[in-house]
Amino acid sequence: MATFEGSHDGKGLRVGIVCSRFNEFIVNALLEGALRGLASHGVSESDIDVAWVPGAYEIPITTKAMAVTGRYDTLVTLGAVIRGETAHFEYVAGPVADSIAQIQLETGMPIGFAVLTVENVEQAVERSGPGAGNKGEEAAVGAIEMANVLKAIRKK
Ligand code: INI
């Protein structure tokens, strides 16, 4: 019986991060969390690339472009879709999540997902703070584990 598990050792992994500028102060905090998570698990800063796009709606096409380069072991997506007063929320949040899942399946690239979909700014702040519970950090550490478990499965 084979058991596959991915370690959280990020040494040597090349990581691409896609960030959306809409609600930038939240996304900056998610990025800080992601970079902290990568660094504390051994990913070298020189192995990390960051792409900025206007809003969450632009994340999938950018993520796909990075995925097909062959330059990355894993990707992380960071954004903040806040319901607030706008009906636009519905048209952005669902398609982005669905598209990222689709890109993973099409390309075989593991993609950490921290595109927040929340009701208000307070909820976004709660999920992007400097301590535990920063979704950017969680997505980055999960992306390391996924890169490693998929490598192990593919190598056997
Ligand atoms: N983009 C976000 O990242 N978050 C949002 O909350 C948001 N809302 O609510 O409108 C948002 N809209 C912009 C969208 O992602 C595109 O950038 C825009 O439609 C241009 O294509």
Side-chain angles (χ1 to χ4, degrees), residues 28-116:
N28 271 325
L30 293 170
L31 178 59
E32 275 176 33
L35 293 176
R36 188 168 61 241
L38 295 175
S40 65
H41 290 82
V43 178
S44 150
E45 200 181 316
S46 59
D47 285 332
I48 302 171
D49 292 339
V50 180
W52 282 92
V53 300
Y57 199 69
E58 286 73 37
I59 289 177
I61 190 171
T62 313
T63 304
K64 175 94 183 250
M66 289 180 102
V68 299
T69 61
R71 293 203 294 266
Y72 304 102
D73 296 295
T74 190
L75 300 174
V76 181
T77 53
L78 307 176
V81 189
I82 302 177
R83 187 186 296 273
E85 303 290 309
T86 172
H88 211 56
F89 177 94
E90 311 291 349
Y91 297 105
V92 175
V96 172
D98 291 346
S99 299
I100 297 300
Q102 188 63 33
I103 293 164
Q104 291 197 99
L105 301 179
E106 279 168 10
T107 64
M109 170 71 65
I111 304 171
F113 187 76
V115 180
L116 304 181

Side-chain angles (χ1 to χ4, degrees), residues 123-141:
Q123 289 182 352
V125 168
E126 269 171 28
R127 291 160 175 74
S128 58
N134 181 302
K135 298 298 170 190
E137 181 169 13
E138 287 178 15
V141 176

